């Protein structure tokens, strides 16, 4: 059922404060869009919001995203309460950062997307998995994995602090990026924000 006008106003007022990059009329439009998309869905979650497939369809059709692993990670980043469903609040607040976030907010968001196991570091293995998914394979390459390993090494040399590389390589031979490493690298060179796969909408 369509949301009542009063409920829409209350929700828009509340989200206008928490999703600070949208004005009230934009928030109302996003709530109505959410309602429309949910109404068209046959998902068992439809009463509560977007399930994974519905959200991925939206990421693909609206924002041109194609990488399954990255889209899954974006879903998990939006789904703050980990209930496998994106509510209207998670939708609007997530889009606020996704579409208009400050550099600081986008750095935090991208790091969360790339930290596949949620341990607070982006490991060599996580970088490898994401780059393997997002890079086009060249038919002439005998072992494309070798090229990806080289890219991971370059990324670590470029982005990891001496401390991170020394600390982790001494113990488990696996350089990792901390959030502080990632943040410093991106602030020094903004193009590194999506170094491990496209997880923000393209400009258009």
């Amino acid at each position: 059922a369509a949301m009542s006008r009063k409920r829409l106003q209350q929700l828009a007022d509340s989200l206008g404060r928490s999703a600070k990059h949208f004005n009230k009329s934009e928030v109302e439009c996003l709530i109505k869009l959410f309602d429309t998309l949910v109404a068209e869905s046959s998902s068992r979650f439809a009463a509560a919001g977007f399930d994974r497939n519905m959200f991925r369809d939206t990421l693909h059709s609206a924002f041109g995203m194609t990488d399954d692993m990255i889209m899954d990670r974006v879903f998990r980043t939006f789904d703050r309460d980990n209930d496998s469903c994106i509510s209207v609040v998670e939708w609007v607040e997530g889009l606020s950062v996704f579409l208009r976030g400050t550099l600081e907010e986008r750095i935090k968001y991208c790091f969360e997307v790339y930290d596949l196991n949620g341990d607070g570091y982006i490991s060599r293995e996580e970088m490898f998995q994401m780059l393997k998914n997002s890079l086009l394979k060249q038919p002439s390459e005998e072992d494309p994995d070798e090229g990806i390993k080289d890219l991971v090494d370059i990324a670590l040399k470029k982005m990891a602090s001496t401390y991170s590389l020394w600390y982790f390589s001494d113990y488990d031979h696996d350089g990792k990026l901390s959030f502080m490493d990632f943040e410093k690298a991106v602030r020094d060179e903004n193009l590194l924000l999506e170094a491990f796969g496209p997880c923000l909408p393209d400009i258009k």
Side-chain angles (χ1 to χ4, degrees), residues 63-183:
F63 305 113
M65 297 182 95
T66 55
D67 185 316
D68 284 340
M69 178 187 278
I70 295 288
M71 286 194 285
D72 185 62
R73 292 300 307 160
V74 174
F75 176 86
R76 288 168 184 261
T77 305
F78 270 64
D79 181 20
R80 287 287 169 199
D81 60 5
N82 293 314
D83 66 350
S84 298
C85 177
I86 290 174
S87 68
V88 66
V89 171
E90 289 168 335
W91 161 253
V92 176
E93 289 179 353
L95 284 177
S96 178
V97 172
F98 186 72
L99 292 172
R100 296 190 184 160
T102 62
L103 179 61
E104 192 173 327
E105 288 170 331
R106 284 181 292 139
I107 289 172
K108 185 171 182 290
Y109 159 82
C110 288
F111 186 86
E112 282 183 27
V113 169
Y114 297 148
D115 178 12
L116 301 182
N117 65 1
D119 69 349
Y121 293 92
I122 305 171
S123 70
R124 185 185 293 273
E125 178 58 29
E126 286 168 334
M127 290 177 210
F128 180 82
Q129 289 301 328
M130 288 179 287
L131 288 172
K132 187 174 181 177
N133 265 7
S134 64
L135 293 174
L136 291 171
K137 292 174 181 59
Q138 301 300 325
S140 59
E141 287 184 72
E142 286 179 20
D143 185 3
D145 286 2
E146 283 307 310
I148 294 165
K149 284 175 186 165
D150 289 345
L151 274 177
V152 169
D153 285 338
I154 290 166
L156 278 166
K157 285 193 180 87
K158 173 88 177 162
M159 299 173 82
S161 67
T162 308
Y163 169 77
S164 288
L165 285 172
W166 170 81
Y167 180 85
F168 287 103
S169 60
D170 267 11
Y171 288 90
D172 58 13
H173 308 289
D174 184 17
K176 297 183 183 183
L177 290 180
S178 69
F179 176 73
M180 284 173 66
D181 289 335
F182 184 72
E183 182 179 37

